[in-house]
Amino acid sequence: QGDASDTLRGVMAKYVEETQKHHNDMESLKSLKTLLGKMDPSDWPDIDEEFSKIQQETNNNNKANVEDHRWMKEIKTTFVDNDGDEDGNVLDCDDDLAMTQADVNTICPISRVEMKKPVKNPDCGHVYDKASVEALFRQGD
């Protein structure tokens, strides 16, 4: 999850920033329209300059932390809810199994040699070589 989730968070943060900027610009345009509507057109100030002033005020008044935006909170919750922490590490969960490797291990954990006749422990599910288990039992006698 690491790189992909970081990339997704970055894209989402950029989208949130752009959305906030768009919202602020729309508020600035409404304010400019209201201001100009109260004035005689011959008394209008420089439109670009006035828009920049209003835009600056709007941006200062509506500063919001991107991480506090509900979309960022939702994406953070999505990654944490999938049995992992924010960094993508798998958390303990009794209900699910987490795959730790893609290769099938054919080495017996007792003898450390390749299993010729694998047998499965019904209690824990581990697999051992039959000859190794029998040799272990004979040692205990």
Side-chain angles (χ1 to χ4, degrees):
Q1 256 185 14
D3 291 339
S5 62
D6 290 343
T7 301
L8 184 57
R9 280 188 192 103
V11 168
M12 183 64 76
K14 186 72 173 165
Y15 183 72
V16 168
E17 287 172 4
E18 292 296 322
T19 301
Q20 288 174 341
K21 183 181 181 321
H22 175 73
H23 176 76
N24 288 345
D25 287 349
M26 293 303 292
E27 289 295 316
S28 299
L29 282 172
K30 287 179 187 176
S31 296
L32 181 61
K33 181 181 174 186
T34 301
L35 175 70
L36 296 176
K38 296 177 183 177
M39 300 173 78
D40 186 85
S42 61
D43 295 333
W44 282 5
D46 180 80
I47 303 293
D48 288 334
E49 187 177 305
E50 193 63 29
F51 179 73
S52 293
K53 283 183 203 174
I54 293 172
Q55 191 178 36
Q56 186 67 34
E57 287 176 25
T58 304
N59 288 338
N60 288 339
N61 293 336
N62 293 333
K63 282 188 178 179
N65 185 355
V66 172
E67 292 300 318
D68 292 334
H69 193 277
R70 69 178 173 86
W71 295 340
M72 294 302 290
K73 289 179 182 178
E74 285 175 16
I75 199 165
K76 185 177 181 181
T77 303
T78 300
F79 287 125
V80 173
D81 283 348
N82 286 325
D83 295 328
D85 61 14
E86 293 176 46
D87 298 323
N89 299 320
V90 175
L91 301 176
D92 291 335
C93 181
D94 293 338
D95 297 336
D96 298 323
L97 295 176
M99 186 170 187
T100 59
Q101 65 189 53
D103 299 333
V104 176
N105 189 356
T106 59
I107 305 296
C108 175
I110 297 171
S111 65
R112 305 275 186 232
V113 296
E114 184 144 353
M115 293 183 267
K116 295 189 179 20
K117 190 168 185 180
V119 292
K120 185 175 182 180
N121 182 332
D123 294 333
C124 66
H126 291 109
V127 179
Y128 305 95
D129 184 54
K130 184 176 182 178
S132 300
V133 172
E134 290 173 344
L136 193 62
F137 284 143
R138 281 193 297 271
Q139 282 181 352
D141 289 339

